[in-house]
Amino acid sequence: MDQLDALTQTRDSTRGTGGDVARLWREPRFDRMECLSARFQRHVYAPHTHETYVIGVITAGTELYRYRGVTHAANAGDVVLLNPEELHDGRPAGDGYAYRIFYPPVELIGQTLADALDRPALPSFGATVLKDPELFQAIRALHRDLERPERNALHLESAALRAFTAAALRHGDLNARPRPPGREPLAVRRARDYLDAHLEAPVELADLAVAVGLSRFHLLRVFRAAVGTTPHGYLTDRRVGRAKEMLAGPLPLAEIAIACGFCDQAHFNRVFKARVGVAPGHYRRGRGVSAVQAAAH
């Protein structure tokens, strides 16, 4: 559980009275979508509307808000969905609440669903407070990832597409459904070839989809069905594999990190250890390449 989820203050946030703390930013990658992480113990929202959708999760405590003439209680673990231009307010209950909220523009949700359904569509959310643990995890994970210093374009675009599509298809009162993923062996092979050829460079999901001739959403589904992981997961594994090979040689760790497509050595260390169980330096020593040999080059 991170600091905001635990109802504690963060250093880089805007503080209000009574221990309230909030951080808002906009994401250029997603049509300047506003993102808000906040913990409120005293702040009370006046009745207001948004031109955008509201898609978020309550990570601690309870928020009370009036929506469509009814007062709702959103508790920790709940997903909150609101339609554009719908009047609502908000206030803390008890010791307050923490939440992570996206305000995706209507155009962004429309583009996402057009990609998934092969036709224009917009969801209309009937229920506003939902118990959907899988969607909760997807929204919270995406929100956290957007705050991280290492911002992998392929991962973020894939995660956003999955989270927003899941919200719309599960709870958005839509009759249409995506076509079955089926088997696309040629497209999957092309995708793997493309990723193998771009181990050292950033990869955009849109570029990958164009290269293989599928929509982004359909590509994610057929790739996972065939390979067992996402394109980002496959790319990360291949980068770690190349790093293992390079660690048998004398190049410094920082140079290996960049050559394998990692942001920096710290990012390389975290990803490598998560998959291999030891840090790159430890792995190198196990291969018989000493720190003196590496430093000499």
Side-chain angles (χ1 to χ4, degrees):
M1 181 175 291
D2 63 21
Q3 287 182 320
L4 278 169
D5 295 352
L7 295 182
T8 60
Q9 292 190 2
T10 58
R11 188 175 303 170
D12 62 345
S13 302
T14 300
R15 291 189 177 92
T17 59
D20 290 350
V21 60
R23 178 175 182 247
L24 183 141
W25 73 97
R26 294 173 178 83
E27 283 294 334
R29 176 173 297 279
F30 302 115
D31 294 347
R32 292 187 58 77
M33 173 179 66
E34 291 186 351
C35 309
L36 175 66
S37 294
R39 187 258 296 139
F40 291 132
Q41 293 178 330
R42 301 183 112 185
H43 177 68
V44 175
Y45 282 106
H48 63 286
T49 64
H50 301 279
E51 295 180 353
T52 66
Y53 285 94
V54 178
I55 299 177
V57 292
I58 307 297
T59 56
T62 300
E63 180 192 15
L64 302 176
Y65 63 95
R66 191 165 181 81
Y67 178 70
R68 294 180 175 176
V70 176
T71 298
H72 300 271
N75 302 305
D78 287 343
V79 175
V80 175
L81 303 173
L82 279 71
N83 294 309
E85 308 294 352
E86 294 263 17
L87 188 69
H88 61 284
D89 56 15
R91 64 187 186 276
D95 294 331
Y97 66 98
Y99 67 176
R100 291 179 171 273
I101 300 291
F102 292 117
Y103 300 95
V106 173
E107 295 78 8
L108 176 63
I109 296 299
Q111 292 166 4
T112 299
L113 285 179
D115 191 292
L117 301 174
D118 296 322
R119 69 170 198 175
L122 285 173
S124 177
F125 297 119
T128 182
V129 180
L130 299 160
K131 300 288 186 184
D132 188 332
E134 185 178 358
L135 181 59
F136 175 92
Q137 295 295 341
I139 294 171
R140 184 173 64 170
L142 173 62
H143 209 283
R144 285 174 166 175
D145 287 342
L146 287 169
E147 288 189 301
R148 299 185 192 280
E150 305 94 8
R151 297 171 57 82
N152 183 284
L154 179 60
H155 168 66
L156 292 176
E157 190 176 355
S158 302
L161 183 63
R162 290 196 303 270
F164 294 150
T165 300
L169 295 182
R170 293 183 189 182
H171 307 293
D173 193 24
L174 292 168
N175 293 324
R177 286 292 178 266
R179 61 190 170 106
R183 297 179 63 83
E184 301 274 1
L186 179 59
V188 171
R189 186 170 73 249
R190 287 175 175 169
R192 293 176 69 159
D193 290 345
Y194 184 96
L195 295 170
D196 289 343
H198 292 79
L199 295 186
E200 78 290 345
V203 176
E204 300 274 350
L205 180 61
D207 293 339
L208 180 60
V210 169
V212 304
L214 298 178
S215 73
R216 297 173 302 158
F217 183 78
H218 194 58
L219 169 61
L220 290 178
R221 297 174 78 207
V222 300
F223 193 94
R224 180 184 281 276
V227 182
T229 186
T230 63
H232 171 254
Y234 174 84
L235 181 61
T236 301
D237 286 342
R238 295 287 291 118
R239 285 171 169 168
V240 170
R242 173 179 283 185
K244 285 182 175 181
E245 296 173 358
M246 297 182 72
L247 285 167
L251 279 180
L253 296 182
E255 292 186 25
I256 294 175
I258 299 304
C260 294
F262 297 101
C263 298
D264 52 32
Q265 186 174 335
H267 181 217
F268 175 38
N269 286 343
R270 284 193 292 274
V271 173
F272 190 93
K273 186 172 183 179
R275 281 165 170 73
V276 181
V278 296
H282 188 167
Y283 182 86
R284 162 173 269 168
R285 289 191 294 274
R287 293 288 298 265
V289 181
S290 70
V292 173
Q293 287 176 297
H297 294 266

